[in-house]
Amino acid sequence: MNVLIDADACPVVNIAVSLCRKNGIPCLLVCDTAHRIEMDGAETLTIDKGADSADFALVNRVAPGDIVITQDYGLASMCLAKGAHVLHQDGWEYTPWNIDALLLQRHESRKYRLSGGRTKGPKKRTSQQDAAFAAAFQKMLQG
């Protein structure tokens, strides 16, 4: 098992790398050239900036049984199709049973914004979200 993190703008990189190091699990941070991330206990793969280039680089490296951490529903869908376990930064798991609804929600929100509507951005991150992520990720690492 390997852990692959969509590290561009991921607020739980430190938590995830720390837990990987503690559990002796290899960790790969994937980011584009706009985000330079180097951490002890993790390998960093920096990809040239481009539309979804880091996402495709990550998908091309994921294997069945790996764990992927991302907030990107499209990336989550591709990783699920390759047999990976996919965890959101808030500690909930993407599954074959919830991914279609999430993708539809993303599509409908985009249509609304393109038609002139405004949607709210995410709320400020809380320590409870970090704790929920850490607990869910540790449980996933233990199988």
Side-chain angles (χ1 to χ4, degrees):
M1 170 193 352
N2 294 298
V3 172
L4 299 92
I5 303 174
D6 178 14
D8 293 338
C10 180
V12 295
V13 170
N14 292 336
I15 296 168
V17 170
S18 175
L19 287 171
C20 285
R21 194 171 40 239
K22 177 182 168 187
N23 288 279
I25 308 262
C27 182
L28 177 66
L29 306 175
V30 182
C31 58
D32 66 27
T33 55
H35 303 87
R36 186 73 181 157
I37 303 169
E38 298 288 334
M39 298 185 76
D40 288 336
E43 179 184 347
T44 300
L45 177 62
T46 304
I47 304 298
D48 285 336
K49 194 169 177 158
D52 300 320
S53 59
D55 293 349
F56 291 122
L58 190 150
V59 168
N60 287 333
R61 286 164 177 77
V62 74
D66 285 348
I67 298 174
V68 175
I69 299 169
T70 185
Q71 64 179 333
D72 182 317
Y73 297 170
L75 176 59
S77 178
M78 291 186 285
C79 293
L80 283 172
K82 291 192 76 173
H85 304 280
V86 188
L87 190 62
H88 187 272
Q89 65 192 22
D90 289 345
W92 52 268
E93 187 174 358
Y94 297 91
T95 68
W97 299 275
N98 69 11
I99 194 66
D100 288 339
L102 293 167
L103 289 169
L104 178 61
Q105 176 186 359
R106 179 181 78 165
H107 174 72
E108 292 298 327
S109 293
R110 184 168 189 264
K111 276 184 10 183
Y112 179 69
R113 287 189 304 275
L114 287 173
S115 70
R118 294 181 52 102
T119 55
K120 291 183 179 182
K123 295 178 182 175
K124 185 176 178 184
R125 187 151 185 89
T126 66
S127 58
Q128 290 85 3
Q129 287 170 298
D130 287 345
F133 170 80
F137 186 47
Q138 181 62 44
K139 183 177 178 182
M140 193 175 271
L141 288 172
Q142 293 172 338

